[in-house]
Amino acid sequence: ENVVLFVDDNESSMECPDNLNRFVQLDASVTFHYAILTSSSINSPEGVLCGRLDYDGIGWVALAVSKDMKMAGSEAIIGLPGDNTVLKYNLNGMAGNLVSPMDDDKQTLKNT
């Protein structure tokens, strides 16, 4: 199922397309499929990124966004199959205890 990333709460009725027509092969076992919905196509002041991260293997997957190419201070989407969760996280450092789920009001992912 496709996941809506970085959604404005006012766009609760917005749906991602079934076919994500762009992709990036991140390595031999990970592919990021995505579509960008422009602001004009969804009648919103901002566009929306819809995506699906496919991993051919067993384990957790994550997608992180950084303004300065550093882990600390970045945000990530982490899927934990053992917990059956996909949540947004704050990456406050590289140690596990510094990675924490964002507050509920920041959990804007849909269809996870």
Side-chain angles (χ1 to χ4, degrees):
E1 194 161 341
N2 300 329
V3 176
V4 179
L5 309 176
F6 314 115
V7 176
D8 183 320
D9 291 331
N10 296 327
E11 297 300 328
S12 59
S13 63
M14 195 280 308
E15 295 290 329
C16 284
D18 290 332
N19 181 19
L20 300 176
N21 58 359
R22 298 179 182 179
F23 71 92
V24 176
Q25 188 75 39
L26 301 174
D27 69 20
S29 60
V30 180
T31 305
F32 180 59
H33 301 267
Y34 68 98
I36 298 172
L37 305 182
T38 62
S39 57
S40 61
S41 71
I42 59 172
N43 226 4
S44 172
E46 297 181 355
V48 173
L49 173 65
C50 297
R52 184 182 74 243
L53 193 61
D54 289 340
Y55 171 57
D56 184 22
I58 298 172
W60 59 272
V61 295
L63 175 69
V65 178
S66 172
K67 293 180 182 178
D68 61 5
M69 302 294 290
K70 296 182 181 176
M71 182 175 171
S74 298
E75 298 178 355
I77 298 167
I78 301 175
L80 299 171
D83 295 344
N84 199 26
T85 61
V86 178
L87 297 172
K88 291 170 64 177
Y89 285 78
N90 289 311
L91 305 180
N92 299 310
M94 294 179 66
N97 65 332
L98 298 175
V99 177
S100 59
M102 292 184 181
D103 293 336
D104 287 345
D105 65 325
K106 301 290 185 188
Q107 296 294 343
T108 56
L109 301 175
K110 295 184 179 190
N111 303 325
T112 59

